[in-house]
Amino acid sequence: MIERRLDERRSGSAPPAPVGEPLSVRASLRGKHVLVTGFTGFLGKVLVGMLLERAPEIGRITILARGKKSQPAAARVRHLFERSPGLRNLRDIHGEGLGDFLASRVDVVAGDVRDPLCGIDPRVVERLGASVDCVIHVAGLTDFEPDPVEGLAVNVRGALHAADLAARTRGRRLLHVST
């Protein structure tokens, strides 16, 4: 039966699939908790900015970020919200209230996609696992000639680590955006 339907679709003789209700991204994200990797990159900032701007009903966004020697992960993320051109719309919309808005919607967790479970402390993984509905993985090296060891660590193993992390969450969903 299934094979016949596939053959009919390939030949063009099958009727078109019925169209359901339009998908509402805002409604789909209402009250949801997503964990986003790659926020410090261009795509990550734009993604998080758009989620907060266009789906303000989202429950929480947890941002995975690497700290630097001179700047912990949370300070690095805060600086990007304050200065990045990709997040200007949020600053314009919320003005002086941006900090309060972010505090009500955004958490930062230190980690690194090169490490198992994205370098997140196992106790934090357990806590996040109870509430995260989806891991959105946009972290990756975009250099056209990266060091091969670093490229594999971030772009290949990083995706596997994000998938392992997603498998430990309530939603068990991973949205992977490849570089």
Side-chain angles (χ1 to χ4, degrees), residues 9-25:
R9 288 191 188 265
R10 284 188 201 117
S11 69
S13 63
V19 177
E21 293 294 316
L23 176 65
S24 168
V25 174

Side-chain angles (χ1 to χ4, degrees), residues 74-134:
R76 190 173 180 206
V77 168
R78 184 176 55 251
H79 176 78
L80 290 170
F81 273 111
E82 292 169 354
R83 301 277 183 234
S84 174
L87 297 162
R88 185 177 297 129
N89 277 354
L90 275 179
R91 291 192 299 273
D92 290 346
I93 291 167
H94 295 282
E96 295 296 319
L98 180 62
D100 290 337
F101 175 75
L102 293 175
S104 73
R105 294 286 191 276
V106 176
D107 295 313
V108 178
V109 64
D112 189 328
V113 298
R114 295 176 290 192
D115 299 325
L117 295 177
C118 298
I120 303 172
D121 179 281
R123 292 171 298 215
V124 176
V125 170
E126 188 174 329
R127 179 179 51 80
L128 288 171
S131 65
V132 169
D133 295 293
C134 181

Side-chain angles (χ1 to χ4, degrees), residues 43 95 147:
L43 184 58
D147 171 88

